[in-house]
Amino acid sequence: MTTHPIAPSPAAERAAALDAADPLARFHDRFVQHPDVVSYLDGNSLGRPLAATRDRLSRLLDEAWAGRLIRSWDEAWMDEPTHLGDMIGRVAIGAAPGQTVVADSTSVLLYKLVRAALDARPGRGEIVADTENFPTDRFILEGIAAETGRSIRWIEPDPAAGVTVDDVRAAAGPGTALVLLSHVAFKSGYIADMAAITAVAHEAGALVLWDLCHSVGSIDVRLDEAGADLAVGCTYKYLNGGPGSPAFAYVAERLHGAVRQPIQGWLGTADPFAMTEAYAPSPGIRQLISGTPPIVGMQPMQDMLALIEEAGDPDGGESGIAAIRRKSLALTDFVIDYADEHLACFGVRVISPRDPAVRGSHVTLEHPDFQRLTAELWERGVIPDFRPPQGMRIGLSPLSTSFAEVALGLDLLAELLERGTAAADA
Ligand SMILES: *Cc1c(COP(=O)(O)O)cnc(C)c1O
């Protein structure tokens, strides 16, 4: 690789000092490093693998699978979806045990929970959602609206920010069954005010379903404290579960028994091996399960959850996720400062919130050439992602991203922009 400049850039020097002072820097080398990857800036889309996951996967194959075979269902696997759910609850989303389960994809869990929420609010014909939400969230809702004869009231938030409490207050009313929102907006990175929005929706008598895909593992989410009803989230982003790892769903305990999911399968029943004639849903969170859990896909995230926990103060002062949030803000500050100092002169604009209180763990920059430049960066081992029409997302996964690699990636971006400007001037 010849991407290192001859002399360290000012940004690289600042990055080296930040890495040296970073208490979480020691975790960087726990992730599998690959010589082709110079700077990974997309941990918000697919987290890097941990070296520990190799051992975990071969243990699964050699011991639990090859040795214990079908006995492993009784010995461990049957409870894995709820054990893992409790771990996610404890480590990352502020949920007491018994309310979180791992199953299916985010899209399928969204379907199950939206349908369950609508059935729990009979006589209410409207769903509140926003036009800036991730496509699958909008598509699932549109499908359910058509299927059940509900209508959707669309909030159109400022694309550089996100849905506000006032937006929800104006949209939700006596006809609202459900409000579906992302906690962190996938484009701008804006953090919605979970507690205040949930309270406003409850005043209207509606339930709220939070999509945590871009917050779980990077932000100190407090579902129980916020009075949340329902939530879903990905595990292959900041929880490093690997491509296609299953998602999780949260249902607040007070709603157990009051919501019933629509895909009633044998493994969501109270006693699957009774092989009963009629479906009797499990009284707890298990009910969300439909079929056989994807045990293989549930392995890698366990190493990341353990790492998040390890990142905390061993004396119990600060949780791992709080320490991660602190580094996330230092990383996004670094990117915004860099953009102001070295990229604004080429016409690059920062789209993400400048206020750290409402900024998630990625920074979106905009420039008309970003589609082409993202492809050039990928060829050189610098990997952000592109979101149309002209957004480049710089995703910062605090335990695997060093300030040095961020500086390296941004220096290359600045170099490509400068070359483009020079070519245009020639
Ligand atoms: C990544 C993401 C998804 C992905 O859903 P899948 O079913 O896992 O493909 C859904 N919603 C949001 C907000 C996301 O960021």
Side-chain angles (χ1 to χ4, degrees), residues 44-45 105-108 110 133-134 136-137 182 184 186 211-214 234 236-237 245 247 393:
N44 58 315
S45 198
S105 63
T106 298
S107 300
V108 171
L110 276 167
N133 207 343
F134 193 84
T136 212
D137 300 58
S182 276
V184 170
F186 83 105
D211 186 324
L212 306 179
C213 282
H214 272 84
C234 281
Y236 51 80
K237 293 172 178 169
S245 63
R393 292 191 311 177

Side-chain angles (χ1 to χ4, degrees), residues 194-400:
M194 180 184 282
I197 287 175
T198 299
V200 163
H202 285 175
E203 276 166 35
L207 293 169
V208 186
L209 170 47
W210 288 101
D211 186 324
L212 306 179
C213 282
H214 272 84
S215 40
V216 62
S218 68
I219 291 189
D220 196 354
V221 180
R222 309 271 180 94
L223 287 177
D224 288 348
E225 214 175 285
D229 301 307
L230 309 164
V232 295
C234 281
T235 64
Y236 51 80
K237 293 172 178 169
Y238 296 108
L239 292 185
N240 303 59
S245 63
F248 64 87
Y250 162 96
V251 177
E253 191 164 13
R254 64 177 181 281
L255 295 173
H256 292 186
V259 297
R260 184 151 160 176
Q261 65 104 343
I263 306 176
Q264 43 182 58
W266 71 304
L267 283 180
T269 59
D271 186 6
F273 291 96
M275 302 286 175
T276 50
E277 211 153 298
Y279 174 77
S282 160
I285 191 68
R286 244 204 123 71
Q287 190 217 126
L288 262 285
I289 297 174
S290 296
T292 305
I295 298 298
V296 177
M298 291 180 186
Q299 300 305 310
M301 72 178 88
Q302 300 182 38
D303 292 312
M304 187 59 177
L305 288 164
L307 207 68
I308 293 174
E309 209 156 39
E310 197 186 329
D313 177 355
D315 302 325
E318 187 182 44
S319 69
I321 195 68
I324 285 168
R325 169 67 175 155
R326 206 153 33 76
K327 180 167 176 189
S328 162
L329 286 174
L331 284 162
T332 51
D333 274 343
F334 183 85
V335 172
I336 290 174
D337 288 349
Y338 189 101
D340 288 344
E341 284 166 35
H342 306 292
L343 303 177
C345 54
F346 301 113
V348 171
R349 293 179 317 281
V350 174
I351 297 308
S352 297
R354 285 174 179 275
D355 175 3
V358 293
R359 189 199 309 146
S361 207
H362 66 273
V363 175
T364 301
L365 307 174
E366 279 195 354
H367 188 277
D369 291 342
F370 272 171
Q371 182 152 26
R372 180 176 58 80
L373 293 182
T374 302
E376 278 190 51
L377 289 171
W378 279 26
E379 268 176 39
R380 309 269 293 267
V382 172
I383 313 172
D385 70 17
F386 175 75
R387 287 292 176 265
Q390 46 176 265
M392 184 185 287
R393 292 191 311 177
I394 308 294
L396 304 148
S397 186
L399 295 184
S400 65

Side-chain angles (χ1 to χ4, degrees), residues 63-78 273:
E63 294 163 25
W65 184 5
R68 302 308 297 163
L69 284 163
I70 197 172
R71 293 170 291 183
S72 280
W73 281 113
D74 288 336
E75 290 164 4
W77 295 338
M78 209 47 96
F273 291 96

